[in-house]
Protein backbone atom coordinates (compact mmCIF):
# COMPACT_ATOMS: atom_id res chain seq x y z
CA UNK A 1 0.00 0.00 0.00
CA UNK A 2 1.63 3.24 -1.07
CA UNK A 3 1.72 6.32 1.12
CA UNK A 4 -0.39 9.28 0.12
CA UNK A 5 1.73 12.37 0.61
CA UNK A 6 0.96 15.94 -0.37
CA UNK A 7 3.34 16.62 -3.27
CA UNK A 8 3.85 20.15 -1.96
CA UNK A 9 5.27 18.88 1.34
CA UNK A 10 9.00 18.77 1.92
CA UNK A 11 10.70 16.26 4.19
CA UNK A 12 10.94 19.02 6.79
CA UNK A 13 7.18 19.57 6.58
CA UNK A 14 6.59 15.85 7.15
CA UNK A 15 9.00 15.85 10.09
CA UNK A 16 7.21 18.82 11.67
CA UNK A 17 3.83 17.14 11.23
CA UNK A 18 5.12 13.87 12.70
CA UNK A 19 6.72 15.70 15.62
CA UNK A 20 3.57 17.68 16.42
CA UNK A 21 1.42 14.56 16.21
CA UNK A 22 3.56 12.53 18.58
CA UNK A 23 4.17 15.40 21.01
CA UNK A 24 0.41 15.90 21.19
CA UNK A 25 -0.20 12.16 21.59
CA UNK A 26 2.23 11.86 24.50
CA UNK A 27 0.91 15.05 26.10
CA UNK A 28 -2.59 13.56 25.90
CA UNK A 29 -1.44 10.48 27.82
CA UNK A 30 -0.09 12.67 30.62
CA UNK A 31 -3.28 14.74 30.67
CA UNK A 32 -5.43 11.61 30.89
CA UNK A 33 -3.34 10.30 33.78
CA UNK A 34 -3.68 13.65 35.53
CA UNK A 35 -7.47 13.40 35.17
CA UNK A 36 -7.29 9.81 36.42
CA UNK A 37 -5.40 10.94 39.50
CA UNK A 38 -7.82 13.81 40.14
CA UNK A 39 -10.80 11.42 39.96
CA UNK A 40 -9.33 8.83 42.32
CA UNK A 41 -8.17 6.56 39.48
CA UNK A 42 -11.70 6.26 38.13
CA UNK A 43 -10.39 5.80 34.58
CA UNK A 44 -8.39 2.65 35.37
CA UNK A 45 -11.57 0.60 35.24
CA UNK A 46 -11.80 1.24 31.50
CA UNK A 47 -8.76 -0.94 30.87
CA UNK A 48 -8.89 -4.50 29.51
CA UNK A 49 -10.89 -6.91 31.67
CA UNK A 50 -10.32 -10.32 30.08
CA UNK A 51 -13.34 -12.00 28.51
CA UNK A 52 -15.82 -9.61 30.12
CA UNK A 53 -18.31 -8.50 27.43
CA UNK A 54 -19.34 -5.55 29.60
CA UNK A 55 -15.85 -4.04 29.39
CA UNK A 56 -15.08 -4.24 25.68
CA UNK A 57 -14.21 -0.54 25.74
CA UNK A 58 -10.81 -1.57 27.07
CA UNK A 59 -9.98 -3.03 23.65
CA UNK A 60 -9.59 0.51 22.29
CA UNK A 61 -9.06 2.52 25.50
CA UNK A 62 -6.12 0.58 26.95
CA UNK A 63 -3.21 2.41 25.23
CA UNK A 64 -4.41 5.75 26.58
CA UNK A 65 -4.67 4.62 30.22
CA UNK A 66 -1.85 4.03 32.69
CA UNK A 67 -1.37 3.01 36.30
CA UNK A 68 0.44 6.08 37.59
CA UNK A 69 2.86 8.65 36.21
CA UNK A 70 5.79 6.24 36.39
CA UNK A 71 3.91 3.95 34.01
CA UNK A 72 3.27 6.85 31.62
CA UNK A 73 6.90 7.97 31.82
CA UNK A 74 8.22 4.50 30.92
CA UNK A 75 6.19 4.51 27.70
CA UNK A 76 6.53 8.17 26.72
CA UNK A 77 10.03 8.27 25.22
CA UNK A 78 9.83 5.09 23.13
CA UNK A 79 6.34 6.02 21.93
CA UNK A 80 7.53 9.52 21.00
CA UNK A 81 10.61 8.29 19.12
CA UNK A 82 9.15 5.21 17.43
CA UNK A 83 5.93 7.04 16.59
CA UNK A 84 7.87 9.92 15.07
CA UNK A 85 9.95 7.58 12.91
CA UNK A 86 6.88 5.66 11.77
CA UNK A 87 4.89 8.85 11.07
CA UNK A 88 7.63 10.17 8.78
CA UNK A 89 6.34 7.69 6.21
CA UNK A 90 2.96 9.41 6.15
CA UNK A 91 0.46 10.44 8.80
CA UNK A 92 -2.42 8.46 7.28
CA UNK A 93 -0.35 5.31 7.06
CA UNK A 94 0.88 5.80 10.63
CA UNK A 95 -2.66 6.18 11.97
CA UNK A 96 -3.78 3.08 10.06
CA UNK A 97 -0.84 1.07 11.39
CA UNK A 98 -1.38 2.29 14.96
CA UNK A 99 -5.09 1.48 14.80
CA UNK A 100 -4.41 -2.07 13.63
CA UNK A 101 -1.82 -2.61 16.36
CA UNK A 102 -4.09 -1.19 19.08
CA UNK A 103 -6.98 -3.42 17.99
CA UNK A 104 -4.76 -6.49 17.76
CA UNK A 105 -3.34 -5.90 21.24
CA UNK A 106 -6.77 -5.09 22.66
CA UNK A 107 -8.60 -8.08 21.22
CA UNK A 108 -5.68 -10.45 21.81
CA UNK A 109 -5.26 -9.38 25.43
CA UNK A 110 -9.02 -9.53 26.04
CA UNK A 111 -8.96 -13.14 24.83
CA UNK A 112 -5.71 -14.38 26.39
CA UNK A 113 -4.88 -12.33 29.51
CA UNK A 114 -5.05 -14.17 32.84
CA UNK A 115 -8.36 -13.90 34.73
CA UNK A 116 -8.79 -11.24 37.42
CA UNK A 117 -6.32 -8.88 35.77
CA UNK A 118 -6.71 -5.35 34.44
CA UNK A 119 -4.67 -4.32 31.42
CA UNK A 120 -3.71 -0.80 30.40
CA UNK A 121 -0.78 1.11 28.96
CA UNK A 122 0.78 2.08 25.64
CA UNK A 123 3.49 -0.57 25.82
CA UNK A 124 1.67 -2.92 23.42
CA UNK A 125 1.58 -0.12 20.86
CA UNK A 126 5.25 0.65 21.54
CA UNK A 127 6.21 -2.97 20.86
CA UNK A 128 4.08 -2.90 17.73
CA UNK A 129 5.72 0.26 16.41
CA UNK A 130 9.12 -1.26 17.15
CA UNK A 131 8.29 -4.29 15.01
CA UNK A 132 6.89 -2.07 12.27
CA UNK A 133 9.87 0.30 12.15
CA UNK A 134 12.47 -2.48 12.23
CA UNK A 135 10.86 -4.55 9.47
CA UNK A 136 9.41 -1.77 7.29
CA UNK A 137 12.65 -0.69 5.62
CA UNK A 138 13.47 -4.21 4.45
CA UNK A 139 9.95 -4.77 3.12
CA UNK A 140 9.98 -1.43 1.30
CA UNK A 141 13.52 -2.08 0.06
CA UNK A 142 14.54 1.41 1.11
CA UNK A 143 18.15 1.46 2.40
CA UNK A 144 17.69 4.48 4.68
CA UNK A 145 14.64 3.02 6.41
CA UNK A 146 16.46 -0.31 6.74
CA UNK A 147 19.40 1.43 8.42
CA UNK A 148 17.01 3.24 10.76
CA UNK A 149 15.38 -0.10 11.58
CA UNK A 150 18.75 -1.64 12.42
CA UNK A 151 19.55 1.34 14.64
CA UNK A 152 16.22 1.04 16.46
CA UNK A 153 16.84 -2.69 16.97
CA UNK A 154 20.29 -1.95 18.39
CA UNK A 155 18.91 0.59 20.88
CA UNK A 156 15.76 -1.17 22.06
CA UNK A 157 16.21 -4.77 20.90
CA UNK A 158 17.31 -6.21 24.25
CA UNK A 159 14.50 -4.48 26.13
CA UNK A 160 11.96 -5.68 23.58
CA UNK A 161 13.25 -9.25 23.86
CA UNK A 162 12.96 -9.21 27.65
CA UNK A 163 9.54 -7.59 27.43
CA UNK A 164 7.98 -10.52 25.57
CA UNK A 165 9.19 -13.12 28.06
CA UNK A 166 6.82 -14.24 30.86
CA UNK A 167 9.32 -13.42 33.59
CA UNK A 168 7.27 -10.87 35.58
CA UNK A 169 3.69 -11.59 36.58
CA UNK A 170 3.04 -7.86 36.91
CA UNK A 171 3.88 -7.15 33.26
CA UNK A 172 1.54 -7.91 30.37
CA UNK A 173 4.13 -9.76 28.30
CA UNK A 174 1.36 -11.28 26.17
CA UNK A 175 0.26 -7.78 25.10
CA UNK A 176 3.88 -7.00 24.20
CA UNK A 177 4.18 -10.17 22.15
CA UNK A 178 0.89 -9.56 20.35
CA UNK A 179 1.88 -5.96 19.66
CA UNK A 180 5.26 -6.98 18.27
CA UNK A 181 3.68 -9.57 15.97
CA UNK A 182 1.03 -7.09 14.83
CA UNK A 183 3.69 -4.48 14.05
CA UNK A 184 5.67 -6.91 11.92
CA UNK A 185 2.55 -8.00 10.05
CA UNK A 186 1.47 -4.41 9.40
CA UNK A 187 4.94 -3.69 8.03
CA UNK A 188 4.35 -6.38 5.41
CA UNK A 189 0.82 -5.13 4.77
CA UNK A 190 1.60 -1.41 4.52
CA UNK A 191 5.22 -1.50 3.45
CA UNK A 192 5.00 -3.36 0.18
CA UNK A 193 6.57 -1.47 -2.71
CA UNK A 194 3.96 -0.09 -5.04
CA UNK A 195 3.51 -2.22 -8.15
CA UNK A 196 4.60 -0.19 -11.15
CA UNK A 197 1.94 0.54 -13.73
CA UNK A 198 2.19 -1.71 -16.80
CA UNK A 199 3.84 -0.23 -19.85
CA UNK A 200 1.38 0.16 -22.74
CA UNK A 201 2.38 -1.88 -25.75
CA UNK A 202 1.02 -0.95 -29.19
Amino acid sequence: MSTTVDPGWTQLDRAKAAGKLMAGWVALLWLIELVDLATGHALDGYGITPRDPDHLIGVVAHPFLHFGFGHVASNSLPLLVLGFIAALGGIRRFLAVSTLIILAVGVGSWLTAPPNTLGAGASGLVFGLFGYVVVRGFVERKPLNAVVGVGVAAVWGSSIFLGVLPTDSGVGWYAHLIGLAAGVLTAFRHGRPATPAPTPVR
Side-chain angles (χ1 to χ4, degrees), residues 56-75:
L56 285 173
I57 190 173
V59 169
V60 294
H62 71 274
F64 302 99
L65 306 174
H66 292 80
F67 301 125
F69 289 109
H71 192 196
V72 182
S74 66
N75 286 323

Side-chain angles (χ1 to χ4, degrees), residues 8-137:
W9 278 31
T10 65
Q11 188 63 34
L12 179 59
D13 291 329
R14 291 193 285 272
K16 287 180 178 179
K20 289 178 181 178
L21 173 64
M22 294 316 302
W25 192 318
V26 171
L28 176 63
L29 299 185
W30 284 86
L31 178 60
I32 290 173
E33 189 56 33
L34 183 62
V35 172
D36 185 48
L37 177 63
T39 57
H41 300 289
L43 300 182
D44 289 349
Y46 292 99
I48 297 174
T49 303
R51 294 165 297 285
D52 184 347
D54 293 329
H55 289 82
L56 285 173
I57 190 173
V59 169
V60 294
H62 71 274
F64 302 99
L65 306 174
H66 292 80
F67 301 125
F69 289 109
H71 192 196
V72 182
S74 66
N75 286 323
S76 291
L77 181 60
L79 179 61
L80 183 66
V81 175
L82 293 173
F84 173 77
I85 294 172
L88 285 175
I91 300 299
R92 290 182 183 178
R93 178 194 282 192
F94 167 74
L95 293 176
V97 166
S98 297
T99 298
L100 290 172
I101 293 171
I102 288 171
L103 290 176
V105 172
V107 173
S109 297
W110 190 86
L111 291 172
T112 64
N116 302 315
T117 58
L118 182 64
S123 56
L125 176 58
V126 167
F127 276 66
L129 290 175
F130 172 87
Y132 174 75
V133 168
V134 169
V135 174
R136 177 189 61 177

